[in-house]
Amino acid sequence: MLSLCLYFHVHQPYRVKRYRVFDVGVDHEYFNDGSETDLNNSRILNKVAVKSYIPTNKLLLHLLNTHPEFRFAFSFSGVFLSQIEREFPELLQSFQDLVKTGRVELLADTYYHSLAFFHSLPEFERQVRQHRWLLERLFGQVPTVFRNTELSYNNDLAQWADKNGYMGIMAEGWDPILQWRSPNFVYNPKDCKNTRLLLKNYRLSDDVAFRFGQRSWAGWPLTAPKYVQWVNSHHGNGQTVNLFMDYETFGEHQWEDTGIFHFLAALPNEFLKHGDNTFKTPTETICDYEPVGEIDVPYTLTWADTERDLSAWTGNNIQQAALREIYALEKDILATKDIRLIEDWRRLQTSDHFYYMCTKYFSDGDVHKYFNPYDTPYDAYIAFMNALYDVKLRVEKALAHKESAVSSQPILSPLSSV
Amino acid sequence: MFGWEFPPHNSGGLGVACEGLARALVDKSVDLLFVLPKKVSVNNDRFRFLFGNVSRKNKIYSVDTGLTPYVTAKEYLLSKRYLEGNIYGADLFSEVMRYASSVKNIIQDEVFDVIHAHDWLSFLAGVEAKRISGKPLIVHVHATGFDQAGGNAVDERVFTIEKIGFDAADRIITVSQYTKDILIKKYGVSAEKIVVVHNGVESGSYICKEENDAPMPWKRPGQKMVLFVGRLTMHKGPDYFLRAARRVIDFMPNTMFVIAGSGDMEFQIIRQAADLGIAQNVFFAGFARGENLRRLYESADLYVLPSVSEPFGITPLEALSVGTPVLISKQSGVSEVLAHALKVDFWDIEEMANKIIAVLRYPPLTRQLALYGNGEARNITWAKAADKCITLYNAIQKR
């Protein structure tokens, strides 16, 4: 028996507009860029929806309807769902239609696609809760398997998931961690009682997500039969092949003219030709296979770059400083009890903001693989810090108001009811 | 190699660039003969100099010069009023012609394989050398007439000489893609003829300044300093610098703006500072070089290059070499080689001010730009520029 466990990650951040120092104290809208650039969040959402989300949803619904064995999982960021709920209800509906088939599992995540776990555990837990409520409200599903932002993972996170009742957690199947072991089995995370670990088969995942349209690649052109042959070669030395990738792979990272949609359309049928093959969602995979060993990840692993670490988000001084500054605000900002202010602060925690400040690709000379809606990482930092400066001013103002309100009206403070 | 000026007699980037490239070529065992239009005392024993204004048997002596490669013909005539006893010819153009006509004498006993001429002032000398010797000619463009004009109409006589040089040259070196594009667009030169060789910066004196360095005497504790270094002419954009300063001071009144340089816009700039009501924040340091210049770079919190048109722009590399972060115009060649620099369109005063304030307000930004920028500048060397030139010399000889 060999099963394919698919999860597609769907996320769009609230990008900060070119927020200048002159806007501080005047304009509190950080995410409403209206230009013809890639900082305009609605514009990007529309573009990616047309190229990727809408056609892929339609195709997946068709595949679910024609293949009763076909199933997969989505990991949605909360900020993505909140954007489509407001601006693109028909897109949300098409995702809901997929989930309604009962064969699409939803994964737990942080609402804000943040790196909060590494900076503030209480804030991390609030965001995970907020995400769970959102999935329940929009899809009527409570997630049982957790994956963290950028597939970041370490022993501490696994133990947190274990303690909080998650059946499973996801990580990169990175060779230095696995050594001689295969990613194609279920494992126990170190020192966990109940939680199981699913490891991404990054070679087979990246064949689709990164290399599919690359004409210089030896595997090009990749067809469903060829790919299924590669997957089938794991019969006898693996139980589950875990393919994790960005949902935008279909139609956005790999354009339609690469044949990516034909590939996806043919995949289930081709894979199921082998009588011993099947599809399983992450939870089914965890339930159906016994763990074969324990995996120890003492330092943080992600799915990014050849380093597979957090350096794309925390590698340089400005990234570290920005992260420090935003989490330093936690106590004061929560004390304001101002929902809009707290929401803005959390949107600024989204990992993409810090990724845009990354400078490590300069030295590789390999800037092409790196997407940045800002002219330079420094422009990203300046816009972010100016917005954060304004957030700080709002916090100070709110707290000052609160104090004066409390002292003058000790019983009924108008702000405490917000 | 035909040049026009040489340190310490230089007034700006061209002389520094010629020296840097010449030294690096000699380091790589190129047998270099450097020709200057007139005799100056040059402290250099590593390659030979020849001079256009002295008979070759004459004893070497030094002459001060009122000629710089940057003067327009008009400026040249004006400046001559202040200079006495240093008369070459009636005007800049007859000086250029005189240089060209002296070439025959200079090269008659010399053996060489390639002719390399720097900027329009020496182009005619290079063309003449090619005509006499039949050897291939490379013209090296550090600045065009359009850069000097700073948006004004280009001097037609300069344009004509440049065009003669470009047409006669076998290959053209530009100091940036930015300049290459100007040659293609404004001079109709074909792209295949042009090779970009970015300038380097003198390695030697790289130090990243300590954060707790003793404050400079002219800078009060807590006060921030933003520096401009360059000639006060249209194309260097000092007026944009001042207008950005006006915006910055609204937000950060305790900021001083230092302008180091002189030029035809000096009085206009001083007046403008007063008109903008920021005279108390703007300091004029005059033309600075050597140790004084280095101390200005070191004491600055940010160096700004607001040029309207800058073929390369070596000063940001000098600032980075002492660990001062830089904000540079996108209309500059140096922006092609620096990633760890803030960049802005020279006309976008608001954005320039926004970025100046960001550097002054967010210390992690300052630190990173300084540290990474310093590392980056170290790798922009004359040795790399010399390698590209040598490759070109070899290619051109084989044809």
Side-chain angles (χ1 to χ4, degrees):
Chain A
M1 168 79 84
L2 184 69
S3 53
L4 215 48
C5 173
L6 293 162
Y7 101 64
F8 304 119
H9 178 57
V10 202
H11 165 62
Q12 291 294 337
Y14 285 101
R15 297 164 195 84
V16 179
K17 67 182 175 189
R18 285 216 315 171
Y19 189 84
R20 289 175 172 178
V21 67
F22 316 110
D23 301 319
V24 173
V26 184
D27 176 4
H28 307 313
E29 299 291 339
Y30 316 129
F31 313 105
N32 68 343
D33 184 292
S35 70
E36 290 297 303
T37 71
D38 283 344
L39 291 174
N40 181 333
N41 295 308
S42 315
R43 186 173 169 268
I44 294 198
L45 191 60
N46 267 283
K47 189 184 81 179
V48 181
V50 169
K51 281 176 74 180
S52 171
Y53 302 146
I54 293 170
T56 317
N57 280 4
K58 201 174 146 202
L59 175 57
L60 287 175
L61 188 63
H62 171 74
L63 291 172
L64 286 164
N65 288 336
T66 46
H67 300 280
E69 306 89 339
F70 185 51
R71 52 201 57 224
F72 60 90
F74 273 129
S75 96
F76 292 115
S77 75
V79 285
F80 169 76
L81 291 174
S82 79
Q83 286 184 75
I84 65 166
E85 185 179 21
R86 202 182 58 241
E87 294 188 27
F88 233 121
E90 65 274 29
L91 179 58
L92 176 60
Q93 183 60 52
S94 76
F95 278 114
Q96 286 167 330
D97 291 344
L98 287 169
V99 176
K100 256 186 231 149
T101 63
R103 284 179 279 139
V104 177
E105 179 174 342
L106 302 181
L107 303 180
D109 213 320
T110 61
Y111 187 102
Y112 294 94
H113 200 270
S114 74
L115 298 168
F117 180 76
F118 307 99
H119 295 90
S120 163
L121 188 61
E123 174 61 18
F124 168 75
E125 291 185 328
R126 286 188 288 265
Q127 292 184 16
V128 173
R129 267 201 303 279
Q130 194 177 342
H131 185 258
R132 192 174 64 220
W133 294 331
L134 183 71
L135 294 187
E136 260 192 276
R137 179 168 69 78
L138 295 180
F139 299 99
Q141 196 180 113
V142 177
T144 52
V145 174
F146 186 78
R147 58 80 72 189
N148 201 19
T149 308
E150 315 296 357
L151 208 58
S152 54
Y153 176 91
N154 60 29
N155 289 340
D156 294 341
L157 183 71
Q159 278 151 31
W160 173 87
D162 196 37
K163 210 173 76 189
N164 287 274
Y166 289 98
M167 296 173 67
I169 185 163
M170 312 284 210
E172 179 79 359
W174 189 226
D175 309 74
I177 293 290
L178 290 174
Q179 293 166 347
W180 52 270
R181 291 166 297 193
S182 155
N184 308 321
F185 291 95
V186 175
Y187 288 89
N188 283 318
K190 189 171 162 55
D191 300 330
C192 287
K193 273 208 274 304
N194 300 310
T195 296
R196 303 286 186 259
L197 179 60
L198 292 180
L199 296 164
K200 174 182 157 196
N201 184 316
Y202 70 86
R203 285 189 185 85
L204 285 168
S205 299
D206 295 351
D207 285 341
V208 179
F210 298 150
R211 290 182 282 271
F212 187 84
Q214 260 177 38
R215 286 170 182 252
S216 57
W217 173 44
W220 190 88
L222 186 58
T223 59
K226 192 198 279 187
Y227 188 70
V228 166
Q229 206 184 336
W230 294 349
V231 175
N232 282 343
S233 72
H234 293 289
H235 270 286
N237 58 19
Q239 295 173 319
T240 173
V241 173
N242 304 323
L243 302 178
F244 306 166
M245 62 192 75
D246 284 338
Y247 198 40
E248 297 81 18
T249 297
F250 305 98
E252 170 70 11
H253 298 167
Q254 307 294 341
W255 291 1
E256 187 183 359
D257 61 14
T258 63
I260 191 76
F261 289 117
H262 292 294
F263 172 83
L264 181 61
L267 189 65
N269 188 44
E270 196 63 38
F271 182 67
L272 293 167
K273 277 182 184 168
H274 193 301
D276 226 11
N277 281 354
T278 180
F279 287 94
K280 288 184 196 297
T281 68
T283 295
E284 289 169 338
T285 308
I286 288 160
C287 290
D288 292 354
Y289 301 117
E290 281 303 308
V292 297
E294 187 179 87
I295 301 284
D296 179 16
V297 185
Y299 57 85
T300 303
L301 193 64
T302 72
W303 65 3
D305 310 321
T306 48
E307 298 93 339
R308 296 296 201 282
D309 61 10
L310 282 170
S311 60
W313 298 272
T314 64
N316 68 33
N317 300 341
I318 56 173
Q319 292 171 311
Q320 289 159 16
L323 278 161
R324 241 189 347 263
E325 297 250 344
I326 195 148
Y327 286 104
L329 274 177
E330 180 178 347
K331 191 167 148 271
D332 284 347
I333 208 150
L334 295 177
T336 66
K337 296 201 172 14
D338 178 334
I339 292 167
R340 273 213 55 196
L341 182 51
I342 294 168
E343 170 71 13
D344 284 343
W345 172 67
R346 289 191 167 137
R347 285 183 185 181
L348 289 172
Q349 292 180 37
T350 300
S351 67
D352 303 63
H353 304 308
F354 309 100
Y355 185 73
Y356 300 147
M357 301 174 197
C358 176
T359 52
K360 73 173 181 171
Y361 303 111
F362 286 167
S363 46
D364 300 354
D366 191 9
V367 289
H368 302 294
K369 69 175 178 187
Y370 166 64
F371 170 77
N372 195 341
Y374 299 90
D375 286 348
T376 76
Y378 295 108
D379 291 82
Y381 175 81
I382 291 171
F384 179 89
M385 290 304 290
N386 285 339
L388 193 59
Y389 200 94
D390 186 65
V391 166
K392 282 185 197 168
L393 292 182
R394 287 164 70 194
V395 172
E396 278 169 25
K397 210 170 151 193
L399 291 180
H401 259 277
K402 252 189 137 188
E403 260 168 41
S404 61
V406 167
S407 55
S408 62
Q409 275 193 311
I411 299 161
L412 265 178
S413 158
L415 277 166
S416 64
S417 60
V418 172
Chain B
M1 186 172 278
F2 291 95
W4 192 265
E5 52 166 17
F6 219 76
H9 299 272
N10 63 307
S11 65
L14 177 61
V16 176
C18 285
E19 187 191 21
L21 182 61
R23 281 180 189 281
L25 284 168
V26 172
D27 280 344
K28 294 186 180 287
S29 308
V30 172
D31 188 8
L32 188 76
L33 181 67
F34 206 102
V35 185
L36 288 172
K38 61 186 192 58
K39 184 69 206 81
V40 290
S41 67
V42 178
N43 182 19
N44 197 317
D45 50 3
R46 300 171 57 227
F47 43 98
R48 287 187 305 132
F49 281 90
L50 287 178
F51 302 100
N53 68 335
V54 284
S55 151
R56 303 193 62 218
K57 284 170 188 152
N58 271 11
K59 214 176 155 221
I60 284 165
Y61 60 94
S62 92
V63 182
D64 284 328
T65 175
L67 266 184
T68 80
Y70 299 111
V71 292
T72 62
K74 192 176 127 213
E75 278 175 18
Y76 179 73
L77 288 173
L78 284 173
S79 70
K80 286 174 80 72
R81 293 183 197 156
Y82 304 102
L83 293 160
E84 288 178 19
N86 179 31
I87 307 300
Y88 267 124
D91 63 46
L92 188 57
F93 292 94
S94 56
E95 193 53 33
V96 168
M97 302 304 281
R98 198 196 57 74
Y99 186 18
S101 62
S102 68
V103 163
K104 192 171 183 186
N105 277 335
I106 298 169
I107 64 168
Q108 60 191 357
D109 298 330
E110 300 294 339
V111 181
F112 52 89
D113 301 307
V114 178
I115 307 156
H116 190 149
H118 292 279
D119 263 9
W120 72 275
L121 293 145
S122 72
F123 279 3
L124 294 183
V127 172
E128 180 68 2
K130 176 177 174 172
R131 195 185 61 77
I132 295 166
S133 67
K135 300 290 184 188
L137 168 66
I138 295 169
V139 299
H140 197 137
V141 186
H142 297 262
T144 67
F146 288 95
D147 302 308
Q148 306 302 332
N152 292 338
V154 66
D155 187 314
E156 264 185 49
R157 291 166 300 179
V158 174
F159 182 85
T160 305
I161 292 174
E162 287 177 322
K163 198 74 178 99
I164 291 170
F166 298 155
D167 289 343
D170 296 270
R171 297 302 283 275
I172 300 167
I173 292 175
T174 59
V175 292
S176 59
Q177 182 65 42
Y178 175 78
T179 299
K180 179 175 176 173
D181 292 343
I182 291 178
L183 260 60
I184 295 167
K185 268 188 234 129
K186 310 252 176 164
Y187 295 84
V189 180
S190 86
E192 298 84 60
K193 199 170 176 180
I194 308 170
V195 179
V196 175
V197 178
H198 289 114
N199 287 345
V201 68
E202 205 47 59
S203 46
S205 63
Y206 282 105
I207 32 152
C208 209
K209 66 184 169 194
E210 294 293 317
E211 266 177 63
N212 296 328
D213 256 2
M216 295 292 158
W218 52 79
K219 201 173 149 188
R220 290 194 306 275
Q223 194 174 33
K224 300 288 186 181
M225 171 177 157
V226 182
L227 178 65
F228 170 99
V229 174
R231 277 166 304 108
L232 303 183
T233 58
M234 287 281 277
H235 82 275
K236 290 286 182 184
D239 44 336
Y240 294 97
F241 180 72
L242 277 189
R243 282 153 66 192
R246 167 72 268 178
R247 288 294 275 156
V248 172
I249 289 162
D250 289 341
F251 289 82
M252 307 192 80
N254 196 18
T255 307
M256 62 193 282
F257 290 81
V258 175
I259 293 177
S262 54
D264 59 358
M265 277 175 83
E266 189 163 352
F267 296 113
Q268 180 193 330
I269 292 297
I270 292 171
R271 258 202 320 276
Q272 191 184 352
D275 291 347
L276 289 167
I278 54 172
Q280 69 284 5
N281 293 70
V282 180
F283 298 82
F284 291 87
F287 180 78
R289 65 155 58 122
E291 181 62 13
N292 285 339
L293 181 57
R294 199 177 68 84
R295 290 189 57 179
L296 281 175
Y297 280 134
E298 278 180 2
S299 51
D301 295 282
L302 177 68
Y303 176 75
V304 181
L305 178 91
S307 297
V308 172
S309 182
E310 187 71 70
F312 188 78
I314 222 160
T315 51
L317 301 182
E318 293 173 346
L320 285 170
S321 76
V322 301
T324 295
V326 299
L327 166 58
I328 57 183
S329 157
K330 287 182 187 172
Q331 288 69 33
S332 73
V334 72
S335 70
E336 295 163 21
V337 295
L338 282 178
H340 295 289
L342 300 180
K343 296 172 189 178
V344 65
D345 289 307
F346 72 88
W347 43 261
D348 194 346
I349 303 298
E350 291 280 296
E351 184 61 12
M352 200 184 293
N354 180 44
K355 285 184 164 145
I356 292 171
I357 293 169
V359 169
L360 302 181
R361 193 176 267 179
Y362 309 129
L365 179 62
T366 319
R367 276 197 296 275
Q368 178 164 318
L369 285 170
L371 191 69
Y372 292 7
N374 179 270
E376 198 170 33
R378 279 168 203 259
N379 277 314
I380 300 169
T381 62
W382 283 116
K384 284 184 185 165
D387 282 338
K388 285 189 194 160
C389 288
I390 291 168
T391 307
L392 188 60
Y393 295 161
N394 290 333
I396 210 170
Q397 274 180 271
K398 280 191 194 118
R399 294 204 315 184

